[in-house]
Amino acid sequence: DQQVKQNSPSLSVQEGRISILNCDYTNSMFDYFLWYKKYPAEGPTFLISISSIKDKNEDGRFTVFLNKSAKHLSLHIVPSQPGDSAVYFCAASAEGMRFGAGTRLTVKP
Amino acid sequence: DSGVTQTPKHLITATGQRVTLRCSPRSGDLSVYWYQQSLDQGLQFLIQYYNGEERAKGNILERFSAQQFPDLHSELNLSSLELGDSALYFCASSFTSSDTQYFGPGTRLTVL
């Protein structure tokens, strides 16, 4: 069941630059999308979400973009900070939630 | 602190044994979800309960079972344990199936 895909297992960026994490989905019934952040030995924590009626949602340094026609979701972090280093999971919801495999972001000082 | 609690934090047991993992959802949440995260793998959805009833099943083995009690806490039972069952097991809760899920800190199970 690969309805939500994060094709990049890892991403490395320099502190202060932009981090862009990508996510693709196949189910057109998904109507709510979320990003979770996970540090080692901790549970995932909710970061930001977007409804399918919007194409952008911003919260401080974090912006999520939704392209419904392409069934593509992205998370932009700018400027990136070393504390942002974590695994980021994309999730999509429609009568139940599906998670991507995660992308490990490393922000180098 | 997400408000979701899980016990125990760590569990070490032997192959063939049976263990029970416990989860208390956030106050007011009716849905409880169980996930498995093996080494360097994503979150694998196991099962969901809503207000005491099973709502959805994912990649849950027949050796595993779960239930949600009237006070809404949930237990995940793992039996005939194998080495490959070693993983982090997360519980999450939400008000409805479509709402944001809030995760507990997880239980690390090690099967020796």
Side-chain angles (χ1 to χ4, degrees):
Chain A
D1 184 345
Q2 289 283 295
Q3 296 186 48
V4 179
K5 295 181 185 179
Q6 292 177 258
N7 292 319
S8 297
S10 63
L11 174 68
S12 181
V13 299
Q14 208 65 37
E15 181 179 6
R17 308 295 290 265
I18 186 170
S19 295
I20 300 176
L21 296 100
N22 293 303
C23 177
D24 296 296
Y25 61 94
T26 57
N27 188 344
S28 57
M29 298 301 290
F30 288 140
D31 58 5
Y32 187 54
F33 303 87
L34 309 90
W35 285 94
Y36 285 83
K37 176 178 178 179
K38 184 182 180 303
Y39 291 116
E42 293 183 12
T45 55
F46 169 71
L47 189 59
I48 192 169
S49 64
I50 188 167
S51 162
S52 61
I53 62 173
K54 298 177 118 180
D55 54 20
K56 177 182 173 181
N57 188 27
E58 193 171 350
D59 183 2
R61 297 185 298 113
F62 303 92
T63 303
V64 55
F65 294 93
L66 176 62
N67 182 334
K68 287 190 292 293
S69 60
K71 293 192 177 70
H72 180 79
L73 187 69
S74 63
L75 174 68
H76 292 210
I77 307 173
V78 56
S80 301
Q81 299 173 354
D84 296 329
S85 297
V87 177
Y88 289 78
F89 291 98
C90 165
S93 173
E95 298 280 329
M97 198 169 295
R98 293 293 181 263
F99 285 80
T103 296
R104 182 179 302 279
L105 173 66
T106 303
V107 180
K108 297 180 179 178
Chain B
D1 185 353
S2 66
V4 179
T5 60
Q6 287 186 251
T7 57
K9 196 163 187 176
H10 300 279
L11 197 50
I12 301 174
T13 188
T15 54
Q17 295 297 305
R18 172 190 167 97
V19 297
T20 297
L21 313 183
R22 183 188 167 102
C23 168
S24 291
R26 289 189 324 156
S27 177
D29 283 353
L30 301 176
S31 272
V32 170
Y33 311 78
W34 286 98
Y35 294 87
Q36 179 193 58
Q37 185 183 25
S38 300
L39 194 65
D40 286 337
Q41 303 238 337
L43 291 163
Q44 297 294 319
F45 169 65
L46 296 178
I47 197 164
Q48 176 201 356
Y49 280 82
Y50 177 82
N51 205 20
E53 295 191 0
E54 184 182 302
R55 175 61 65 93
K57 248 182 176 177
N59 302 322
I60 188 166
L61 300 171
E62 285 191 12
R63 299 183 285 109
F64 296 179
S65 65
Q67 54 184 327
Q68 186 179 28
F69 295 87
D71 66 352
L72 301 177
H73 91 269
S74 178
E75 291 181 356
L76 178 67
N77 301 296
L78 314 176
S79 61
S80 302
L81 285 167
E82 301 175 359
L83 295 177
D85 297 327
S86 295
L88 270 168
Y89 291 84
F90 290 103
C91 166
S93 76
S94 66
F95 182 61
T96 70
S97 295
S98 300
D99 288 329
T100 300
Q101 294 181 22
Y102 292 88
F103 284 77
T107 292
R108 180 174 292 282
L109 173 67
T110 302
V111 182
L112 301 175

